[in-house]
Structure formats: C-alpha cells, structure tokens
Amino acid sequence: MTPTVPLVHGAHGSGGADAAGWLLVALLVLVPSIAYLRAARARRFAGRSWPARRTAAFVIGLVLVGLAVSPALHALGRHDLRGHMVQHLLLGMFAPLALVLAAPVTLLLGVLPVAARGTARGLLRSRALHGLAHPATAAALDIGGLYLLYLTPLYALTTTNVLAHHVVNLHVLLAGCLFTWSIAGPDPAPRRPPITLRALVLVAAGAAHAYLAKLLYARAPELPPGGSPDPDQVRAAAQLMYYGGDLAEVALAVALFATWYRTRGAARGIGGGGGTCRASAKG
C-alpha cells in the first residue's frame, strides 16, 4: 500500500492546483467584467448610452482569454503543439478582436475625472504611442513574435519553463490586442493611418501568418527547433494555425470596414461611431 500514497497525494495536489487555476480564471473574467459593467452604468447615469454589443464583446473576449489560460488548456499547451496553437489562436487573434471591439478606452475616457481624462488624451496623442500603434509596428511585434517563437528554440523553452510559457502567452495577447487596435479599433488612436494602409498591412500580416503555418507543415520533422515534437502533431497544429488564422483575419477585415463605415457616418452626421479622440470624448 505504501507506493500508492504518493500517487494519491499527487492526484490531490494536482486537483488542488487545478482548483486554484480555475479560481484565477474566474477572477480574470469576473473582475474586469464587473469593472466594465460599472463604467457602462456610470455612463448611462450621466445620460450617455453605451451599446450592449460592446459589453457583450468585452465579456466574450475575457471568456476566451480565460479558456486559453485554463488549467486544462495550459497543461495541454505546454506539452502538445496542437494545444499550444489553440492557445495562440484564442489569445493572439480571437480574444483581442472581441476585447478591442468592446472599445474599453472609449468607455474609460467617458467616466474618468476631467483631470485624468486630459492626461489620458495626452497619452493617446503622444508620439511614442503613435509609433507603437502604427499598423506596421504592431504587425512586426505580433507576427514577428510568432516567427521568433516557432523558428528558434523559444517554443521548446516554453515546454520546460513555466515562466517562459506565461511570458510568451502574455506577449501573444498584448501584441494581438495592439495589432487589432491598430487595424480596426473603434477606440481613439493617434493619427490613425488611412484605411488603405491598414488594409494592406492586414493582408501582408495575414500572408506572413499563413506562410509560417505552411513552413511548419512542410518542415514538421525539423520545426519548431530545440525539441522533438511528433511530426503529425506539428502538421495538425500548422493546419489549425492556417485555417484558424484565416478565419480570424476575415473577421478582422470585416471589423475594419465596419469601423471605417461607422466613422465616416459619424463624420457626416448620419450615424454613431468612434475612431477619433474628439468623437470618443463626446460619447
């Protein structure tokens, strides 16, 4: 009976870790959701409406983030490239789209005190943010990070180092949000480039993402370097990356043109929409 004791203890330990992980996921979803809902309610009390679709988008985005970092997918993502790729798609493409379309910056600007609102506007107009939020810069941080991850031993490191795994996931999420915001964000953006440039960057980024997926598929015995993943597993992950990326990029393109259309309508006085600091400050 003695050998069974460590096994039972390990199972309880794993169950406790999973419970703690799910608790963190719940907090990750609930705390920002409650803050967002309170801000939306404050706007309504001030006589300014807030679209329910944006609230729904924010909650959906948080749920996708929570799913991506949940204990089950976290464990799978560290040891199976297919699970990792699902995390990449959720954190880097689908969750950012929902979070950005929720226009959290616009909501925040509407409820901040006057002094803090002025500071926030100054930050939004800063040259540093302008450079960082340019679509080309954002695409380089987003897609370039994926090339670094899959064409160097970095991915192999994430399978053995928990901190590296979390840092990579955080980068994927933040870079995905920045890229999505630079392309189609309804929030105010400093000197946002014209739609033609944003569309071209989106097409180029989509092509680079698809090429990386094809490269992983074609060189499955060799990539990602530094480890020894099953080639069939790599090919399956590459297919997830390719087709899942296509779906997310089509959705982002739809969001780009929808945001552009609403912004033009607002400028002509025929509809509502964000897209500029002035429009966002008004409502």
Side-chain angles (χ1 to χ4, degrees):
M1 294 180 64
T2 304
T4 64
V5 174
L7 296 176
V8 174
H9 176 74
H12 282 293
S14 176
D18 284 351
W22 282 111
L23 177 60
L24 289 175
V25 168
L27 292 174
L28 178 66
V29 174
L30 290 175
V31 172
S33 294
I34 292 171
Y36 189 97
L37 289 168
R38 287 173 61 89
R41 186 174 64 175
R43 276 182 63 102
R44 287 194 293 271
F45 284 165
R48 292 172 293 174
S49 63
W50 186 252
R53 70 177 185 277
R54 298 214 185 280
T55 303
F58 191 74
V59 174
I60 290 171
L62 289 175
V63 169
L64 292 177
V65 172
L67 178 62
V69 301
S70 64
L73 199 50
H74 168 74
L76 183 63
R78 288 193 61 210
H79 303 291
D80 189 316
L81 188 59
R82 292 165 296 187
H84 167 85
M85 199 59 70
V86 172
Q87 284 188 303
H88 150 64
L89 291 170
L90 291 176
L91 289 174
M93 306 189 85
F94 290 104
L97 181 59
L99 293 173
V100 166
L101 291 181
V105 176
T106 301
L107 179 61
L108 183 64
L109 286 175
V111 299
L112 282 176
V114 175
R117 190 183 306 169
T119 302
R121 288 178 185 167
L123 177 62
L124 288 170
R125 297 190 184 104
S126 67
R127 184 170 298 179
L129 185 59
H130 171 59
L132 185 65
H134 190 279
T137 307
L141 291 171
D142 188 20
I143 306 300
L146 297 179
Y147 275 76
L148 180 66
L149 177 62
Y150 298 125
L151 301 185
T152 73
L154 180 57
Y155 170 73
L157 177 64
T158 66
T159 64
T160 58
N161 187 298
V162 176
L163 178 60
H165 181 76
H166 288 311
V167 169
V168 166
N169 281 346
L170 181 61
H171 173 269
V172 168
L173 175 62
L174 295 179
C177 286
L178 180 65
F179 177 67
T180 303
W181 184 58
S182 73
I183 295 294
D187 277 325
R191 299 181 290 278
R192 175 165 278 160
I195 186 174
T196 304
L197 176 60
R198 286 182 280 154
L200 287 174
V201 171
L202 175 58
V203 170
H209 190 269
Y211 176 78
L212 180 57
K214 291 180 178 180
L215 189 63
L216 286 173
Y217 189 93
R219 297 177 58 185
E222 308 167 30
L223 297 177
S228 55
D230 176 25
D232 290 336
Q233 183 187 118
V234 176
R235 293 189 186 99
Q239 288 179 314
L240 283 171
M241 182 180 185
Y242 184 86
Y243 293 110
D246 279 354
L247 181 61
E249 286 147 12
V250 168
L252 182 54
V254 171
L256 167 61
F257 287 102
T259 301
W260 171 76
Y261 180 79
R262 284 196 299 269
T263 302
R264 282 174 58 88
R268 294 177 178 179
I270 60 174
T276 66
C277 291
R278 181 180 300 174
S280 298
K282 289 182 178 179

